[in-house]
Amino acid sequence: MTDTDNVTFVRALPKAELHLHIEGTLEPEMVFDLAAKHGISLPYSDVAALRNAYNFSNLQSFLDIYYQGVQVLIDADDFFQLTYAYLHRAHADGVVHTEIFFDPQSHTERGISLDVVFEGITRALAMGERVFGITYRLIPCFLRHLSEDAAMLTLQALMPYRQHFCAVGLDSSENGHPPSKFSRVFALARAAGLLTVAHAGEEGPPAYIWEALNDLQASRIDHGVGCEADDALCAHLVATQIPLTVCPLSNTKLAVFAQMSAHNLKRLLDRGLCVTVSSDDPAYFGGYVLDNLLAVQQSLALTPADMVTLARHSIAASFLSDVDKKHHQQRIDKYVA
Ligand code: ADE
Ligand code: ZN
């Protein structure tokens, strides 16, 4: 297969994206457009200067800039524009289903109401389904560097919008903020019928992945690449097929792995874990889901069969109904036949 044929093949594979922070799709051009719209002055002279600042040494150095970026999201149209631009881009990468994270607290803390956030995001998701045929789920995440009480208040504030989301997640600065800090919040969320997911083992230890599984009852682990240091944990993830939503470009940009050729995705896949590939914060990490898939394919010498497995895992690991999953797996069968 030529390189062009390969890109065409991977692009057209029906795939789900399961780890995508909508605030992380805020491209520098949109930061400047929205800052001008709202009369906000930015500490960067232009788009190139802002993009130049996207030089991260670890997770925290990224989060500092990411939380600065969200300040330009003020009204429902901003959230609409942000979400619709992502869906347009995802469609071009062959995404047929997406499960989108957002951080309610990074908006409510600035005085932006959840009404505004939900209105903009859900309007774009509905239009994206009509125009691009992309189905979706929405997953608000609690900021783990903030308190358990703040997460509890956020869960209460989210409940009037319960019909719009299927799960809750946990993100932000990992080290020093173990999943168990939020056990009670997640128990209440589960009691309300919500599924749970959590970032764990991005920079943190395997113990945090165990806590996400045992204390939070997470259905998926976001990142989870740190599992490799614990054989019993890997065996458990193989036995249960609890998926990892791995984000390769994020992991190299945030120095979780020194370079892509050192990434453990292929080893985890070969070990039988349900590994999926997503883009995390594509505006900051240099690529959307197709770029992530091509990067690991090239650097880790993934076979065409591996690429199909990643696409199948993404559907299997989604929160779609069994009927919808079967439909998409059959689309993949047909595509590879
Ligand atoms: N919020 C946005 N991206 C994140 C990541 N990669 N890890 C933790 N929190 C995040
Ligand atoms: Zn993430």
Side-chain angles (χ1 to χ4, degrees):
M1 218 186 305
T2 67
D3 283 355
T4 318
D5 288 346
N6 178 62
V7 172
T8 305
F9 170 72
V10 179
R11 176 181 286 128
L13 263 174
K15 60 186 75 65
E17 176 148 66
L18 306 177
H19 183 163
L20 182 284
H21 302 263
I22 200 62
E23 297 92 344
T25 68
L26 184 57
E27 293 284 351
E29 290 80 2
M30 200 180 286
V31 172
F32 272 83
D33 285 352
L34 294 179
K37 170 181 166 185
H38 296 298
I40 297 169
S41 70
L42 296 169
Y44 303 94
S45 53
D46 56 20
V47 165
L50 176 55
R51 215 179 273 285
N52 260 337
Y54 294 179
N55 210 338
F56 312 116
S57 50
N58 55 27
L59 175 58
Q60 193 59 51
S61 65
F62 153 69
L63 290 170
D64 293 342
I65 287 201
Y66 164 88
Y67 293 130
Q68 205 176 71
V70 303
Q71 316 264 346
V72 300
L73 298 167
I74 308 281
D75 63 33
D77 282 344
D78 302 343
F79 286 93
F80 172 86
Q81 196 185 329
L82 177 73
T83 308
Y84 197 75
Y86 160 69
L87 293 167
H88 189 261
R89 189 66 189 70
H91 178 61
D93 281 2
V95 171
V96 296
H97 175 75
T98 186
E99 302 194 353
I100 292 183
F101 293 139
F102 72 104
D103 291 332
Q105 287 156 293
S106 69
H107 309 303
T108 53
E109 278 202 325
R110 301 180 291 118
I112 309 299
S113 78
L114 287 179
D115 257 348
V116 162
V117 179
F118 275 103
E119 192 208 315
I121 295 177
T122 59
R123 187 152 48 89
L125 290 170
M127 187 180 284
E129 181 163 14
R130 280 199 303 278
V131 176
F132 305 121
I134 300 180
T135 54
Y136 57 86
R137 298 286 186 273
L138 198 51
I139 305 176
C141 292
F142 303 109
L143 297 181
R144 68 202 303 162
H145 68 274
L146 300 179
S147 68
E148 180 197 22
D149 281 352
M152 202 62 100
L153 289 172
T154 302
L155 178 62
Q156 279 166 10
L158 283 165
M159 290 323 284
Y161 307 91
R162 172 68 184 83
Q163 88 232 49
H164 296 301
F165 57 99
C166 70
V168 292
L170 185 67
D171 66 2
S172 193
S173 321
E174 185 178 11
N175 280 316
H177 303 286
S180 54
K181 178 177 165 186
F182 299 95
S183 295
R184 285 179 290 213
V185 181
F186 275 61
L188 276 178
R190 293 196 307 278
L194 290 158
L195 296 165
T196 62
V197 298
H199 284 53
E202 178 181 14
E203 286 185 339
Y208 284 19
I209 302 178
W210 281 118
E211 285 189 14
L213 297 170
N214 294 329
D215 296 35
L216 306 187
Q217 308 265 301
S219 300
R220 292 194 299 248
I221 300 296
D222 297 310
H223 295 293
V225 290
C227 69
E228 214 181 15
D230 182 334
D231 282 339
L233 176 57
C234 287
H236 180 74
L237 292 169
V238 172
T240 57
Q241 287 295 289
I242 290 182
L244 304 187
T245 61
V246 175
C247 305
L249 287 171
S250 167
N251 292 154
T252 51
K253 292 285 184 206
L254 302 187
V256 173
F257 297 97
Q259 68 249 334
M260 199 58 86
S261 58
H263 202 288
N264 65 3
L265 177 139
K266 170 75 171 161
R267 286 198 300 274
L268 297 176
L269 202 57
D270 288 349
R271 219 165 154 162
L273 278 83
C274 183
V275 173
T276 67
V277 169
S278 291
S279 65
D280 206 5
D281 302 286
Y284 293 90
F285 300 146
Y288 287 74
V289 70
L290 178 62
D291 304 303
N292 275 272
L293 285 162
L294 295 172
V296 282
Q297 183 186 23
Q298 183 168 33
S299 296
L300 305 176
L302 300 187
T303 64
D306 289 330
M307 302 313 285
V308 175
T309 298
L310 288 172
R312 287 195 188 286
H313 282 178
S314 74
I315 299 297
S318 74
F319 293 144
L320 283 166
S321 69
D322 288 343
V323 170
D324 288 340
K325 286 184 188 183
K326 194 168 167 199
H327 161 75
H328 287 301
Q329 298 291 10
Q330 285 169 344
R331 277 178 75 178
I332 297 175
D333 293 341
K334 240 190 179 156
Y335 180 64
V336 298

PDB file of all heavy atoms in Angstrom, residues 224-239:
ATOM      1  N   GLY A 224      -4.373   5.642  31.063  1.00  0.00           N
ATOM      2  CA  GLY A 224      -4.132   4.304  31.613  1.00  0.00           C
ATOM      3  C   GLY A 224      -2.811   3.681  31.210  1.00  0.00           C
ATOM      4  O   GLY A 224      -2.536   2.532  31.578  1.00  0.00           O
ATOM      5  N   VAL A 225      -1.989   4.424  30.475  1.00  0.00           N
ATOM      6  CA  VAL A 225      -0.747   3.829  29.958  1.00  0.00           C
ATOM      7  C   VAL A 225       0.210   3.416  31.076  1.00  0.00           C
ATOM      8  O   VAL A 225       1.076   2.557  30.872  1.00  0.00           O
ATOM      9  CB  VAL A 225      -0.042   4.769  28.948  1.00  0.00           C
ATOM     10  CG1 VAL A 225      -0.838   4.865  27.661  1.00  0.00           C
ATOM     11  CG2 VAL A 225       0.177   6.170  29.553  1.00  0.00           C
ATOM     12  N   GLY A 226       0.018   3.987  32.265  1.00  0.00           N
ATOM     13  CA  GLY A 226       0.850   3.619  33.415  1.00  0.00           C
ATOM     14  C   GLY A 226       0.565   2.227  33.956  1.00  0.00           C
ATOM     15  O   GLY A 226       1.266   1.751  34.857  1.00  0.00           O
ATOM     16  N   CYS A 227      -0.435   1.538  33.421  1.00  0.00           N
ATOM     17  CA  CYS A 227      -0.785   0.188  33.903  1.00  0.00           C
ATOM     18  C   CYS A 227       0.360  -0.801  33.726  1.00  0.00           C
ATOM     19  O   CYS A 227       0.443  -1.799  34.440  1.00  0.00           O
ATOM     20  CB  CYS A 227      -2.031  -0.335  33.190  1.00  0.00           C
ATOM     21  SG  CYS A 227      -1.759  -0.718  31.431  1.00  0.00           S
ATOM     22  N   GLU A 228       1.234  -0.508  32.759  1.00  0.00           N
ATOM     23  CA  GLU A 228       2.257  -1.486  32.380  1.00  0.00           C
ATOM     24  C   GLU A 228       3.213  -1.826  33.525  1.00  0.00           C
ATOM     25  O   GLU A 228       3.818  -2.910  33.516  1.00  0.00           O
ATOM     26  CB  GLU A 228       3.058  -0.956  31.177  1.00  0.00           C
ATOM     27  CG  GLU A 228       3.503  -2.038  30.239  1.00  0.00           C
ATOM     28  CD  GLU A 228       4.316  -1.480  29.069  1.00  0.00           C
ATOM     29  OE1 GLU A 228       4.765  -0.318  29.123  1.00  0.00           O
ATOM     30  OE2 GLU A 228       4.498  -2.230  28.106  1.00  0.00           O
ATOM     31  N   ALA A 229       3.302  -0.934  34.506  1.00  0.00           N
ATOM     32  CA  ALA A 229       4.214  -1.188  35.639  1.00  0.00           C
ATOM     33  C   ALA A 229       3.634  -2.206  36.623  1.00  0.00           C
ATOM     34  O   ALA A 229       4.284  -2.550  37.613  1.00  0.00           O
ATOM     35  CB  ALA A 229       4.502   0.133  36.360  1.00  0.00           C
ATOM     36  N   ASP A 230       2.408  -2.678  36.387  1.00  0.00           N
ATOM     37  CA  ASP A 230       1.733  -3.580  37.341  1.00  0.00           C
ATOM     38  C   ASP A 230       1.141  -4.762  36.564  1.00  0.00           C
ATOM     39  O   ASP A 230       0.092  -4.625  35.921  1.00  0.00           O
ATOM     40  CB  ASP A 230       0.650  -2.769  38.070  1.00  0.00           C
ATOM     41  CG  ASP A 230      -0.102  -3.573  39.126  1.00  0.00           C
ATOM     42  OD1 ASP A 230      -0.178  -4.815  39.011  1.00  0.00           O
ATOM     43  OD2 ASP A 230      -0.647  -2.947  40.053  1.00  0.00           O
ATOM     44  N   ASP A 231       1.805  -5.921  36.644  1.00  0.00           N
ATOM     45  CA  ASP A 231       1.365  -7.084  35.866  1.00  0.00           C
ATOM     46  C   ASP A 231      -0.041  -7.550  36.248  1.00  0.00           C
ATOM     47  O   ASP A 231      -0.820  -7.956  35.381  1.00  0.00           O
ATOM     48  CB  ASP A 231       2.349  -8.253  36.048  1.00  0.00           C
ATOM     49  CG  ASP A 231       3.599  -8.055  35.199  1.00  0.00           C
ATOM     50  OD1 ASP A 231       3.543  -7.285  34.213  1.00  0.00           O
ATOM     51  OD2 ASP A 231       4.644  -8.666  35.528  1.00  0.00           O
ATOM     52  N   ALA A 232      -0.349  -7.497  37.547  1.00  0.00           N
ATOM     53  CA  ALA A 232      -1.677  -7.946  37.988  1.00  0.00           C
ATOM     54  C   ALA A 232      -2.758  -7.025  37.413  1.00  0.00           C
ATOM     55  O   ALA A 232      -3.837  -7.482  37.015  1.00  0.00           O
ATOM     56  CB  ALA A 232      -1.749  -7.958  39.509  1.00  0.00           C
ATOM     57  N   LEU A 233      -2.444  -5.741  37.342  1.00  0.00           N
ATOM     58  CA  LEU A 233      -3.391  -4.770  36.775  1.00  0.00           C
ATOM     59  C   LEU A 233      -3.593  -5.046  35.275  1.00  0.00           C
ATOM     60  O   LEU A 233      -4.729  -5.053  34.784  1.00  0.00           O
ATOM     61  CB  LEU A 233      -2.879  -3.346  37.011  1.00  0.00           C
ATOM     62  CG  LEU A 233      -3.681  -2.200  36.407  1.00  0.00           C
ATOM     63  CD1 LEU A 233      -5.140  -2.215  36.872  1.00  0.00           C
ATOM     64  CD2 LEU A 233      -3.035  -0.852  36.762  1.00  0.00           C
ATOM     65  N   CYS A 234      -2.510  -5.280  34.570  1.00  0.00           N
ATOM     66  CA  CYS A 234      -2.627  -5.585  33.135  1.00  0.00           C
ATOM     67  C   CYS A 234      -3.474  -6.837  32.931  1.00  0.00           C
ATOM     68  O   CYS A 234      -4.351  -6.872  32.055  1.00  0.00           O
ATOM     69  CB  CYS A 234      -1.256  -5.771  32.494  1.00  0.00           C
ATOM     70  SG  CYS A 234      -0.378  -4.212  32.308  1.00  0.00           S
ATOM     71  N   ALA A 235      -3.224  -7.860  33.757  1.00  0.00           N
ATOM     72  CA  ALA A 235      -3.992  -9.110  33.642  1.00  0.00           C
ATOM     73  C   ALA A 235      -5.478  -8.824  33.892  1.00  0.00           C
ATOM     74  O   ALA A 235      -6.361  -9.356  33.197  1.00  0.00           O
ATOM     75  CB  ALA A 235      -3.464 -10.138  34.636  1.00  0.00           C
ATOM     76  N   HIS A 236      -5.756  -7.961  34.864  1.00  0.00           N
ATOM     77  CA  HIS A 236      -7.146  -7.597  35.187  1.00  0.00           C
ATOM     78  C   HIS A 236      -7.793  -6.860  34.003  1.00  0.00           C
ATOM     79  O   HIS A 236      -8.948  -7.116  33.648  1.00  0.00           O
ATOM     80  CB  HIS A 236      -7.152  -6.724  36.444  1.00  0.00           C
ATOM     81  CG  HIS A 236      -8.520  -6.282  36.874  1.00  0.00           C
ATOM     82  ND1 HIS A 236      -9.430  -7.130  37.466  1.00  0.00           N
ATOM     83  CD2 HIS A 236      -9.144  -5.073  36.774  1.00  0.00           C
ATOM     84  CE1 HIS A 236     -10.547  -6.468  37.725  1.00  0.00           C
ATOM     85  NE2 HIS A 236     -10.406  -5.212  37.312  1.00  0.00           N
ATOM     86  N   LEU A 237      -7.038  -5.953  33.392  1.00  0.00           N
ATOM     87  CA  LEU A 237      -7.585  -5.181  32.256  1.00  0.00           C
ATOM     88  C   LEU A 237      -7.824  -6.092  31.048  1.00  0.00           C
ATOM     89  O   LEU A 237      -8.788  -5.895  30.297  1.00  0.00           O
ATOM     90  CB  LEU A 237      -6.644  -4.021  31.901  1.00  0.00           C
ATOM     91  CG  LEU A 237      -6.563  -2.913  32.964  1.00  0.00           C
ATOM     92  CD1 LEU A 237      -5.418  -1.944  32.667  1.00  0.00           C
ATOM     93  CD2 LEU A 237      -7.894  -2.151  33.075  1.00  0.00           C
ATOM     94  N   VAL A 238      -6.976  -7.099  30.887  1.00  0.00           N
ATOM     95  CA  VAL A 238      -7.194  -8.072  29.804  1.00  0.00           C
ATOM     96  C   VAL A 238      -8.443  -8.901  30.103  1.00  0.00           C
ATOM     97  O   VAL A 238      -9.318  -9.079  29.242  1.00  0.00           O
ATOM     98  CB  VAL A 238      -5.962  -8.993  29.616  1.00  0.00           C
ATOM     99  CG1 VAL A 238      -6.277 -10.121  28.643  1.00  0.00           C
ATOM    100  CG2 VAL A 238      -4.757  -8.187  29.135  1.00  0.00           C
ATOM    101  N   ALA A 239      -8.547  -9.389  31.340  1.00  0.00           N
ATOM    102  CA  ALA A 239      -9.663 -10.276  31.706  1.00  0.00           C
ATOM    103  C   ALA A 239     -11.004  -9.553  31.614  1.00  0.00           C
ATOM    104  O   ALA A 239     -11.991 -10.133  31.158  1.00  0.00           O
ATOM    105  CB  ALA A 239      -9.443 -10.815  33.119  1.00  0.00           C
TER     106      ALA A 239
END
